[in-house]
Amino acid sequence: MPQEQYAHRSAMPSAEGLQVYKVGIYGWRKRCLYFFVLLLMILILVNLAMTIWILKVMNFTIGNPLYFQSARNVTVNILNEKTKVLTRLVTGPQAVEAHSQKFEVKTLSGKLLFSADENEVVVGAERLRVLGAEGTVFPKSIETPSVRADPFKELR
């Protein structure tokens, strides 16, 4: 059976004026395309190497704390969308200043220790000690559930 098929194909008339077009890229165009692909790969590798080099030179690391060092002061501003300062923290050689609507100090577990805003100051610790030589002075009356002195000292 296969011999009959081949004989049948050879018996077909051949077309003399038929042109065959090659599909694809051949010759110098193919070489230029390979050259541009190779050039692109080299540029990508150089870009990656330069990015890694810059990260190492600038000491960018992942997971390490951020340190600020200054001879005078460090100022941190929190801005809104309109670049208006909402909160400012200024640390200097003499003091630490916080400019905000509310200031809070919390423990690691999230319990409030100290809070201050325009209307009130809250001390949330279990016990409040005043260690100054003069103690504390209240110009008006105060209210407390209990007042204690240190052991073997009188309450004044």
Side-chain angles (χ1 to χ4, degrees):
M1 188 70 136
Q3 292 176 352
E4 293 175 7
Q5 289 177 348
Y6 293 132
H8 181 40
R9 285 187 186 168
S10 63
M12 290 178 53
S14 64
E16 290 290 326
L18 189 65
Q19 290 185 350
V20 177
Y21 292 105
K22 294 181 180 179
V23 178
I25 299 173
Y26 298 100
W28 65 272
R29 291 182 193 107
K30 189 174 190 178
R31 279 186 245 132
C32 284
L33 183 64
Y34 282 138
F35 172 74
F36 286 128
V37 169
L38 181 66
L39 182 67
L40 183 64
M41 287 191 325
I42 290 171
L43 286 175
I44 289 171
L45 288 175
V46 168
N47 189 8
L48 182 65
M50 297 263 313
T51 303
I52 292 171
W53 177 73
I54 288 172
L55 290 175
K56 287 203 180 266
V57 167
M58 297 298 290
N59 288 329
F60 288 122
T61 57
I62 297 173
N64 289 339
L66 181 63
Y67 294 104
F68 292 105
Q69 293 181 350
S70 174
R72 301 184 78 192
N73 67 12
V74 174
T75 302
V76 178
N77 291 328
I78 307 298
L79 307 175
N80 65 0
E81 301 86 26
K82 299 176 184 174
T83 65
K84 181 183 174 193
V85 176
L86 298 177
T87 304
R88 173 178 288 157
L89 179 67
V90 180
T91 60
Q94 302 297 323
V96 175
E97 298 177 15
H99 302 268
S100 179
Q101 292 190 3
K102 189 171 186 178
F103 178 74
E104 291 183 346
V105 177
K106 295 183 178 183
T107 64
L108 292 175
S109 62
K111 182 182 175 192
L112 182 69
L113 291 178
F114 179 82
S115 174
D117 63 12
E118 198 171 302
N119 298 322
E120 68 179 350
V121 175
V122 176
V123 178
E126 295 286 327
R127 186 172 153 189
L128 176 66
R129 286 180 71 185
V130 180
L131 300 176
E134 296 293 319
T136 183
V137 177
F138 297 99
K140 296 183 179 179
S141 63
I142 63 168
E143 181 180 334
T144 180
S146 65
V147 177
R148 292 185 301 184
D150 285 333
F152 306 110
K153 301 225 174 168
E154 62 184 49
L155 178 65
R156 297 190 297 167

